[in-house]
Amino acid sequence: MANQALHVLHVEDDFADAMLVQHAVCEAGDFDISFEVVRTLREAKVRMQAGGFDLILLDLRLPDSVHPTETLEVARNTAGSTPVLVLSGSMAVDRDHLGDEIASLDKNASFKVERGRKGINIAQSIRNAVGTDDFLSI
């Protein structure tokens, strides 16, 4: 059975990190997830307001929004009914600034795979998040 095609807005200022996510999705064999990458919160707001996304994949620290609570607030207020999935390399530092309702997984730890262990399936995490109304993080 074919997967539903998904369109994801990936808010990420680091080109290498954005490519890492896309590579991980392809390696998982999911070729029906397309990404549009924006590098700033300002660009993200414009694209979120235009709509057409199944999911917002959000980094917490961006060039024009370095405080995680500001980034989360803007995303929550702009995304509307589109689910938001937080994927950030700064979760170890930012955990204290986030509410308890936001579970977290540091992307630095997510992409490190120890010998004999299976890594996170980012494609499945994206697909699972699309079916929720929650503000999630991985």
Side-chain angles (χ1 to χ4, degrees), residues 41-83:
L41 190 57
R42 188 178 72 227
E43 289 175 291
K45 281 177 63 174
V46 169
R47 294 302 298 130
M48 282 188 259
Q49 289 169 339
F53 297 99
D54 298 297
L55 180 78
I56 311 300
L57 189 59
L58 180 69
D59 187 10
L60 291 177
R61 293 185 181 259
L62 302 164
D64 58 344
S65 178
V66 296
H67 201 280
T69 54
E70 175 189 356
T71 307
L72 288 172
E73 182 180 333
V74 170
R76 282 180 166 154
N77 292 335
T78 312
S81 62
T82 305

Side-chain angles (χ1 to χ4, degrees), residues 2 8 20 32 42 94 123 136:
V8 175
L20 182 64
D32 293 324
R42 188 178 72 227
D94 295 335
L136 306 169

Side-chain angles (χ1 to χ4, degrees), residues 45-126:
K45 281 177 63 174
V46 169
R47 294 302 298 130
M48 282 188 259
Q49 289 169 339
F53 297 99
D54 298 297
L55 180 78
I56 311 300
L57 189 59
L58 180 69
D59 187 10
L60 291 177
R61 293 185 181 259
L62 302 164
D64 58 344
S65 178
V66 296
H67 201 280
T69 54
E70 175 189 356
T71 307
L72 288 172
E73 182 180 333
V74 170
R76 282 180 166 154
N77 292 335
T78 312
S81 62
T82 305
V84 177
L85 186 59
V86 174
L87 178 64
S88 183
S90 61
M91 290 309 293
V93 174
D94 295 335
R95 183 74 242 149
D96 294 337
H97 299 288
L98 306 177
D100 290 336
E101 75 278 7
I102 299 177
S104 65
L105 184 60
D106 190 319
K107 75 178 167 187
N108 296 321
S110 300
F111 290 110
K112 267 191 226 173
V113 180
E114 295 177 18
R115 179 172 270 180
R117 288 189 50 193
K118 190 172 183 173
I120 183 174
N121 184 332
I122 188 90
Q124 192 59 50
S125 295
I126 288 171

